[in-house]
Amino acid sequence: MEKVGINIKFNKPYITGKEIEYINDVLKLEHVSGNGVYTKKCQNYFQDKYGIKKALLTTSCTDALEMCAILAGIKPGDEVILPSFTFVSTAIAFLRQGAILKFVDSRYDHPGMDENLIEDSISENTKAIVVVHYAGVACNMEKIGKIAQKYNLIVIEDAAQAIESKYRDKYLGSIGDLGAFSFHETKNISSGEGGMLVVNNDKFVERAEIIWEKGTNRAKFFRGEIDKYGWVDIGSSFLPSEIIAAYLWAQLENVDIIQEKRLKAWNIYNSMLEKVSNQYDIKMPYIPNYATNNGHMFYLIFNSLKQRTSIIEYLKSFGIRAVFHYQSLHKSNYWINNNSQGNLSSRKLKMSDHYSDCLLRLPLYADLNEEYIDYIVNSIENAFERVMK
Ligand SMILES: *Cc1c(COP(=O)(O)O)cnc(C)c1O
């Protein structure tokens, strides 16, 4: 069954064909810097469809998260609650503002943060809860919202992986006070690098625009609301050029096609792998009834690091790139070497460490065809037989 010369990548950017046309249009319009017509088209997509008050295009999701940390008013000594099983950006955006990070474990049935453990981590210094919708699957936003209300905390959604996904009838990113999306090459909708800050709480809207424009009220000036602009706050150059926005618009305009393709691949994996994963007691993605699936990621959860490592090696020998994911942040070198914050490296976050060791992501991209999926599934069955007997 091994196919000679086959090479299935983990991810492959999807090109709609319109990207170059829209970039050419930008050149014709002679507005290549940020905040032009394509930036507005992208921002309006989120504002109109998701019901977000203010969306601002950024150069990355990391940037958008940094803006969240500034807007949330995080200062040295403030505590921020976040999962340990996440991308490093979720943490550094807040650490840079001086936050003390309080890592919370993942759920037993899903890599997302366990909402039942949040309250234990809250102190009088807690300022914000940062949720990560892992694999585009919603955290329990009702429960988290109630906790935030009870302790007067800001809720920030790291929706980097969560485009088009919902918690009940609400789009992810539209629920917390603030949120951030990613358009990195590895995400469903991409501009190579790129992100979006989304603001749902009125009180952050005006300041968000100022921080986005290097601490100036330039955006207001361009709308003709003031007659000159100047330096009014801190900020940075968080906005990308229209070239990026044009590329992104080509993708957003085709979001339905891209989502349909990804979901189709996801569903084929799900049905084809069900039997064999039951047979070997391997877990597949769990989607709570309040969450939707946006086809961002298909993963398997093995029972040990050793099992997973062998499977990765077998798949590699079959020409298939399957990869593991986050390593618990509370166990990272940086955290252990710089954690004068005292509380944590010794603490066990059992599920987070389990997913670090045992979760394996399978190739998934819009153009992954059925023939490839068939081959991948066959290879997995084959590898299971050899590794797990
Ligand atoms: C991809 C990702 C980010 C970072 O996105 P960039 O656009 O690359 O900065 C942050 N958080 C999570 C959960 C991600 O998956």
Side-chain angles (χ1 to χ4, degrees):
M1 61 148 284
E2 281 176 58
K3 293 193 186 172
V4 180
I6 204 162
N7 175 19
I8 303 180
K9 293 179 175 174
F10 173 68
N11 179 59
K12 211 170 123 175
Y14 178 77
I15 310 295
T16 69
K18 285 281 193 181
E19 288 83 355
I20 290 292
E21 186 186 322
Y22 293 162
I23 288 170
N24 264 322
D25 192 34
V26 167
L27 304 186
K28 273 195 223 116
L29 289 167
E30 298 182 339
H31 175 139
V32 191
S33 63
N35 202 7
V37 292
Y38 282 97
T39 297
K40 290 192 180 84
K41 277 178 196 282
C42 295
Q43 292 175 170
N44 287 341
Y45 178 88
F46 288 87
Q47 289 174 183
D48 298 343
K49 184 172 179 186
Y50 290 14
I52 276 158
K53 294 241 168 67
K54 187 86 190 170
L56 293 169
L57 191 63
T58 58
T59 55
S60 66
C61 177
T62 306
D63 265 4
L65 288 166
E66 286 181 10
M67 289 181 74
C68 290
I70 296 170
L71 286 166
I74 302 298
K75 30 179 215 328
D78 288 344
E79 293 178 7
V80 170
I81 288 171
L82 73 166
S84 180
F85 191 73
T86 182
F87 192 57
V88 66
S89 300
T90 321
I92 50 171
F94 296 89
L95 192 74
R96 267 163 60 91
Q97 290 298 116
I100 293 173
L101 305 178
K102 294 283 185 177
F103 292 113
V104 168
D105 206 359
S106 297
R107 277 169 61 133
Y108 173 75
D109 55 4
H110 185 267
M113 183 159 64
D114 187 340
E115 65 277 7
N116 293 313
L117 301 176
I118 292 175
E119 225 166 334
D120 281 349
S121 295
I122 291 175
S123 81
E124 57 191 15
N125 297 320
T126 308
K127 212 44 188 284
I129 303 172
V130 187
V131 301
V132 179
H133 303 300
Y134 187 81
V137 174
C139 294
N140 186 337
M141 295 310 288
E142 235 157 73
K143 172 108 202 214
I144 291 165
K146 276 189 192 137
I147 296 169
Q149 211 166 21
K150 181 169 165 193
Y151 296 95
N152 194 23
L153 307 175
I154 294 167
V155 175
I156 296 158
E157 295 180 75
D158 180 341
Q161 304 171 11
I163 194 163
E164 299 295 289
S165 215
K166 289 178 175 175
Y167 172 82
R168 300 199 190 278
D169 60 346
K170 284 196 175 128
Y171 279 105
L172 299 183
S174 75
I175 303 165
D177 296 282
L178 297 160
F181 287 94
S182 174
F183 309 119
H184 184 264
E185 183 174 298
T186 51
K187 306 301 199 289
N188 291 23
I189 298 294
S190 151
S191 54
E193 303 276 355
M196 185 78 77
L197 169 79
V198 290
V199 183
N200 302 309
N201 186 329
D202 281 327
K203 78 175 180 199
F204 298 124
V205 168
E206 191 174 340
R207 194 171 180 224
E209 211 172 47
I210 290 169
I211 289 165
W212 187 61
E213 277 276 25
K214 304 118 188 147
T216 72
N217 49 8
R218 185 176 152 137
K220 231 176 174 176
F221 171 73
F222 279 124
R223 282 196 300 267
E225 291 167 26
I226 45 176
D227 56 15
K228 62 176 193 291
Y229 77 86
W231 183 15
V232 295
D233 202 336
I234 59 164
S236 189
S237 185
F238 284 118
L239 67 171
S241 98
E242 278 283 289
I243 297 174
I244 297 283
Y247 188 108
L248 181 62
W249 179 244
Q251 300 255 317
L252 276 176
E253 217 182 32
N254 286 287
V255 69
D256 291 342
I257 295 167
I258 295 171
Q259 287 301 100
E260 194 188 312
K261 283 168 174 278
R262 292 191 76 108
L263 280 166
K264 188 172 167 208
W266 196 101
N267 286 320
I268 297 173
Y269 269 139
N270 199 44
S271 56
M272 288 184 84
L273 284 168
E274 198 178 343
K275 200 167 145 231
V276 72
S277 45
N278 276 337
Q279 188 185 338
Y280 292 103
D281 194 24
I282 303 304
K283 290 215 173 85
M284 303 221 296
Y286 166 71
I287 307 196
N289 59 9
Y290 53 68
T292 60
N293 173 27
N294 70 347
H296 177 61
M297 193 193 296
F298 195 90
Y299 59 82
L300 298 172
I301 302 164
F302 291 90
N303 296 304
S304 70
L305 175 61
K306 193 164 155 265
Q307 239 179 22
R308 184 182 72 180
T309 307
S310 311
I311 297 288
I312 290 176
E313 286 307 311
Y314 270 111
L315 292 179
K316 206 187 214 169
S317 75
F318 294 145
I320 299 163
R321 283 280 294 162
V323 295
F324 58 84
H325 211 188
Y326 307 130
Q327 299 299 295
S328 292
L329 291 180
H330 73 286
K331 285 198 165 168
S332 64
N333 281 338
Y334 183 86
W335 184 253
I336 288 167
N337 294 333
N338 295 278
N339 174 26
S340 55
Q341 305 177 352
N343 56 348
L344 259 200
S345 39
S346 58
R347 208 167 104 202
K348 277 225 161 62
L349 298 179
K350 198 171 137 240
M351 290 317 299
S352 177
D353 296 344
H354 178 66
Y355 296 121
S356 301
D357 286 349
C358 301
L359 186 143
L360 179 69
R361 297 180 291 160
L362 302 183
L364 183 61
Y365 47 85
D367 278 337
L368 185 66
N369 60 41
E370 271 179 66
E371 192 192 331
Y372 270 17
I373 299 177
D374 232 38
Y375 175 71
I376 295 166
V377 170
N378 284 331
S379 303
I380 288 172
E381 286 169 351
N382 197 317
F384 279 9
E385 252 173 59
R386 300 202 217 174
V387 172
M388 320 240 234
K389 58 172 178 291

